[in-house]
């Protein structure tokens, strides 16, 4: 059985969602980041970068949430989450890379300078810059989705499961206020019966 190392509300949610969509059995192994378990030797043996999630599938150890998603979708092609046409696959990769390089990094900067870093390391001005950068890239995606149901083609792909988590994070920072189509898209994705908890729900569960 596959093992998934990581704990919501991290990027682990991206992978949980796809595992659920594929109907796969897996063991979720919690990694307490607040207690530094990701820096313990056993975990570093799986991922020297000390990051979650990590998927262990037999002898395969895969890190990076988007890479894990693509691995699962390619291993179980019957679900059709990897487009068959090379042109649509290229678009899927395009939007996954866009999400991971243009929208997620400013979200991390906001998180670091609001609650992850100690007070003396936080730079409030960087939060303002990161919010502006994120808003500009959200606007690009909003225009792309104006007349679309899915990010690529006419059916779900890995890009959609990646986007939903990223946009949920952006929504938590009130960065989708001027993106009504993305809010609709996000609501439709989280209405799926296989959807994991939203980031807000995951945080609430941790607090309780």
């Amino acid at each position: 059985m596959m093992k998934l190392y990581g704990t919501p509300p991290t990027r682990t949610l991206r992978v949980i969602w796809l595992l659920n969509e594929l109907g796969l059995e897996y063991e979720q192994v919690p990694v307490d980041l607040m207690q530094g378990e990701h820096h313990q030797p056993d975990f570093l043996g799986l991922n020297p970068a000390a990051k979650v999630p990590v998927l262990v599938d037999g002898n395969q150890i895969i890190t990076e949430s988007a890479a894990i998603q693509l691995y699962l979708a390619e291993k179980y092609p019957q679900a059709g989450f990897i487009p068959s046409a090379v042109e649509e696959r290229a678009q899927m990769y395009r939007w996954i890379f866009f999400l991971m390089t243009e929208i997620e990094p400013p979200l991390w900067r906001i998180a670091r300078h609001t609650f992850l870093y100690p007070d003396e390391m936080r730079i409030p001005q960087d939060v303002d810059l990161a919010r502006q950068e994120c808003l500009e890239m959200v606007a690009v995606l909003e225009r792309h989705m104006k007349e679309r149901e899915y990010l690529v083609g006419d059916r779900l792909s890995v890009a959609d499961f990646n986007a939903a988590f990223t946009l949920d994070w952006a929504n938590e920072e009130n960065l989708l206020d001027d993106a009504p189509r993305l809010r609709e898209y996000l609501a439709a994705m989280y209405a799926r019966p296989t959807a994991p908890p939203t980031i807000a729900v995951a945080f609430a569960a941790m607090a309780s």
Side-chain angles (χ1 to χ4, degrees):
M1 181 185 297
M2 295 181 187
K3 289 186 177 181
L4 177 64
Y5 291 78
T7 306
T10 62
R11 294 167 173 166
T12 304
L13 286 171
R14 277 197 187 112
V15 180
I16 289 174
W17 197 333
L18 195 51
L19 287 164
N20 292 346
E21 284 279 341
L22 293 168
L24 300 176
E25 293 187 4
Y26 62 95
E27 177 187 353
Q28 187 175 341
V29 182
V31 179
D32 192 331
L33 304 181
M34 299 304 293
Q35 295 299 317
E37 291 181 358
H38 53 311
H39 288 294
Q40 295 302 308
D42 286 349
F43 185 80
L44 291 174
L46 298 174
N47 187 2
K51 304 285 187 178
V52 293
V54 177
L55 183 74
V56 177
D57 183 15
N59 294 325
Q60 288 288 329
I61 300 174
I62 307 105
T63 65
E64 303 300 327
S65 58
I68 297 171
Q69 288 180 309
L70 289 165
Y71 168 78
L72 291 170
E74 290 187 15
K75 184 171 182 178
Y76 299 95
Q78 64 273 17
F81 294 146
I82 300 284
S84 57
V86 66
E87 294 83 4
E88 287 194 352
R89 285 203 304 279
Q91 292 302 313
M92 176 192 69
Y93 295 134
R94 169 198 176 188
W95 288 110
I96 289 174
F97 295 155
F98 177 85
L99 289 155
M100 302 295 288
T101 62
E102 301 293 346
I103 293 184
E104 190 167 297
L107 291 172
W108 273 114
R109 284 165 57 201
I110 293 168
R112 290 188 181 104
H113 290 287
T114 53
F115 66 91
L116 290 178
Y117 284 162
D119 290 347
E120 64 273 14
M121 291 180 61
R122 296 177 190 175
I123 305 173
Q125 298 92 326
D126 200 46
V127 174
D128 296 335
L129 288 171
R131 290 184 65 84
Q132 183 58 39
E133 291 171 11
C134 194
L135 284 170
E136 291 171 1
M137 295 300 100
V138 163
V140 172
L141 196 56
E142 171 76 359
R143 290 192 294 272
H144 173 71
M145 290 298 293
K146 276 294 185 184
E147 306 297 330
R148 308 182 66 89
E149 184 175 0
Y150 305 110
L151 272 176
V152 177
D154 59 0
R155 62 180 299 169
L156 281 165
S157 73
V158 175
D160 294 293
F161 299 109
N162 192 294
F165 170 83
T166 308
L167 293 174
D168 186 30
W169 188 358
N171 197 44
E172 285 299 303
E173 294 294 336
N174 300 312
L175 292 168
L176 299 188
D177 291 356
D178 295 325
R181 175 66 194 106
L182 292 182
R183 294 199 306 274
E184 292 174 355
Y185 168 75
L186 183 61
M189 288 295 294
Y190 273 96
R192 297 182 67 79
T194 55
T198 64
I199 291 173
V201 170
F203 267 125
M206 289 174 61
S208 63

